[in-house]
Amino acid sequence: MPTVILMDVSLSMTRPVSLDGGDEFQRKNLAVHGLNMLFEHMASNYRLEFTSLMAFSSLWELLVPFTRDYNALQEALGNLEDYDKTCVESALTGVSSVVQQEWGSACPCQVVLVTDGSLGIGKGSLRQSLQSLKHRADDKKFPLPFPFPTKMFIMSIANAEELQATDAMNNLEELLHLSGGDGQIFTMEGPLCMKSVQAMFGRLIDHAYSPFHAVLHCGNLSSDVQVFPRPEPIVMDEEVDPMPRSINPDLELVGFIEIADISSPPVISRHLVLPINVNKEVDEVGAGATDELEEEPSASQMAGKNPNFCVLLHGSLKVEGMVALVQLGPEWYGMLYSQADSKKKSNLMMSLFEPGSEPLPWLGKITHLGPISEAAENPYGEDDSKSPFPLQPSVKRSYAQNVTVWIKASGLQTDVQKILRNARKLPDKTQTFYKELNRLRKAALAFGFWELLKGVADLLERECTLLPDSAHPDAAFQLSHAAQQLKLASTGDSQYAAFDHNIAPMHTDFSS
């Protein structure tokens, strides 16, 4: 989960703070000290985190693009300059642009806003931005909520009493609410000093950047691992009394299964699994890459090192083309597998399934799976020519029926081409032509796909103009009739767009 550090460099951050001993610092110095503490922690415990540094006042600037080089981030902090007034809205617009350009709108991101709580003055101030939310044109909307999943943490270089003396706290809380509410406001406790800022950033680290350590068990073998990013607790909506569920730090492997049998299952999150006691250097690589485990280490490479079950598991899954089913908690499972980033590098990944005893219907209940040796006969056959999956339901569902579903463009194209093929064989294929036409019409009406009806009508009219001189006269009448009926249905008029209505062949003097 990438992180954007948004640093306030407005003039209000240069206000002096008197420390014990007579030394005088600016609020900006306290903020830099706290961020350096965060970067040092991430360099040691969150080495795979991509972090970007932005500075803002009335304008924003990208100081360091997304990187794993925390030395570069700390160096940029030491070279911050002071600018003019605070404009949070402009800065948030910059965050949205930078994140979408690098990661798109599907990748969740954490935003750490470091400010002194001053809202700015006049046009562009946070107070003015929030007051004008309901009076904006569509092209000037407030940047929150972001188009990507976000957690926002506001680090205030001020104590709560100072923020509550004005409306600053209320405005910051509204800003957090607009971001989705999945975040927190941190304030300094006690006097403004180095100790207080360290404590505040320590609370942020404990809340959002603490590593998740687990133990991977398989029989008598085990390995200490770190799961990255930290798995978030989930809440199941369908539960009567929903409670957050977190994965157990003791991960138990319950079995192994062929990749072909598990296919591409739906998952709620994906994580990288790293062995803790295997030393690896993390190189600075392009955005989107992940830390890689070495490919099957040779005996010479492992000489002098402690054997590690996690490395053994990764190599075995890669060579055998299998995945390992892992129990995350009561009736909650996931899978471990090898994912290649390139021809020479791969990662041990863990994907989490939806909680439940039967997360993948084609496998049945996970607790009902067992070793092949306990089966009366090999379910894969003597030559691995068959598979016991997917499991077939014991009772055929009464509502099972053929329906038209277009998952890919190729499916829709096939149905349209089938209609056109029958259209060219009119009047011999009149019944088949209208059967396929009505099937497509019903599906388009069910999906509200009015443009499809208009498009097929245009195709039928074109086919009518391309009929050869030797074509049967009835073909032109039927094509024109069908095209007209589709155009009427595409208007959405209930008289012509009734779902149960079928287009009947046109009766002509040429019809038998």
Side-chain angles (χ1 to χ4, degrees), residues 2-9 13 28 31-36 38-39 42 49-56 59-81 91 94-95 98-99 102-103 109-115 201 209:
T3 296
V4 178
I5 305 296
L6 194 56
M7 176 68 178
D8 185 354
V9 291
M13 289 287 285
K28 181 179 74 172
V32 169
H33 180 73
L35 286 175
N36 276 323
L38 175 63
F39 290 154
M42 294 173 72
E49 185 74 88
F50 281 97
T51 306
S52 172
L53 178 62
M54 297 175 61
F56 76 97
L59 302 174
W60 62 272
E61 179 183 1
L62 178 62
L63 300 179
V64 181
F66 286 101
T67 181
R68 288 174 176 156
D69 185 356
Y70 290 97
N71 291 328
L73 291 165
Q74 289 178 306
E75 182 179 350
L77 276 181
N79 298 324
L80 289 176
E81 297 183 10
V95 170
V98 169
V99 173
E102 190 72 42
W103 304 97
C109 183
Q110 297 190 133
V111 178
V112 179
L113 171 61
V114 184
T115 181
F201 275 87
Y209 293 99

Side-chain angles (χ1 to χ4, degrees), residues 434-472:
Y434 279 99
K435 177 184 175 182
E436 295 297 332
L437 187 70
N438 284 313
R439 187 169 69 88
L440 179 136
R441 175 184 175 277
K442 283 191 174 184
L445 291 174
F447 299 145
F449 200 168
W450 316 110
E451 296 85 355
L452 175 61
L453 298 176
K454 179 67 167 58
V456 174
D458 293 340
L459 288 176
L460 295 180
E461 289 181 342
R462 181 176 179 274
E463 287 295 325
C464 188
T465 62
L466 297 177
L467 287 173
D469 296 337
S470 59
H472 194 285

Side-chain angles (χ1 to χ4, degrees), residues 189-360:
E189 298 178 354
L192 304 187
C193 60
M194 294 294 185
K195 185 177 180 180
S196 296
V197 80
Q198 287 176 358
M200 180 177 68
F201 275 87
R203 296 197 302 274
L204 170 66
I205 289 171
D206 292 340
H207 181 79
Y209 293 99
S210 57
F212 184 84
H213 295 294
V215 181
L216 197 60
H217 299 278
C218 182
N220 295 324
L221 300 175
S222 63
S223 176
D224 293 329
V225 296
Q226 179 178 347
V227 180
F228 180 89
R230 184 183 184 87
E232 296 289 338
I234 66 168
V235 178
M236 301 302 294
D237 294 335
E238 62 268 21
E239 294 183 0
V240 177
D241 188 15
M243 293 287 292
R245 297 187 63 175
S246 302
I247 74 171
N248 196 321
D250 287 315
L251 306 176
E252 189 75 35
L253 296 188
V254 296
F256 302 88
I257 193 169
E258 299 279 353
I259 290 179
D261 289 335
I262 205 163
S263 189
S264 299
V267 299
I268 56 177
S269 60
R270 294 179 177 85
H271 307 266
L272 186 63
V273 179
L274 296 174
I276 291 179
N277 59 345
V278 174
N279 295 323
K280 308 185 307 308
E281 292 185 359
V282 180
D283 298 326
E284 175 64 20
V285 293
T290 53
D291 190 26
E292 289 96 3
L293 294 175
E294 297 176 0
E295 280 200 305
E296 313 153 45
S298 64
S300 60
Q301 289 175 317
M302 292 299 292
K305 297 182 180 180
N306 294 326
N308 189 281
F309 167 63
C310 184
V311 175
L312 172 65
L313 175 67
H314 177 214
S316 302
L317 295 176
K318 180 178 179 181
V319 172
E320 297 296 330
M322 303 186 77
V323 302
L325 294 177
V326 58
Q327 185 162 12
L328 310 172
E331 291 195 342
W332 192 8
Y333 299 90
M335 66 176 182
L336 291 167
Y337 56 97
S338 176
Q339 180 180 23
D341 274 350
S342 63
K343 291 183 178 180
K344 294 185 178 181
K345 295 182 179 180
S346 59
N347 311 314
L348 182 62
M349 305 293 295
M350 180 171 69
S351 293
L352 311 187
F353 301 147
E354 290 277 357
S357 60
E358 197 173 350
L360 310 179

Side-chain angles (χ1 to χ4, degrees), residues 120-175:
I121 55 174
K123 186 177 180 181
S125 66
L126 181 59
R127 185 182 295 104
Q128 189 270 340
S129 295
L130 296 178
Q131 289 174 350
S132 63
L133 284 179
K134 298 181 180 179
H135 311 288
R136 293 172 175 247
D138 290 340
D139 59 339
K140 294 183 179 180
K141 286 186 176 181
F142 194 69
L144 293 182
F146 291 125
F148 45 87
T150 314
K151 281 188 175 182
M152 178 177 285
F153 302 103
I154 301 175
M155 313 301 294
S156 175
I157 311 300
N159 52 43
E161 292 77 12
E162 182 180 348
L163 296 178
Q164 291 168 351
T166 63
D167 60 348
M169 180 62 83
N170 293 334
N171 283 276
L172 292 178
E173 288 176 348
E174 185 174 354
L175 187 70

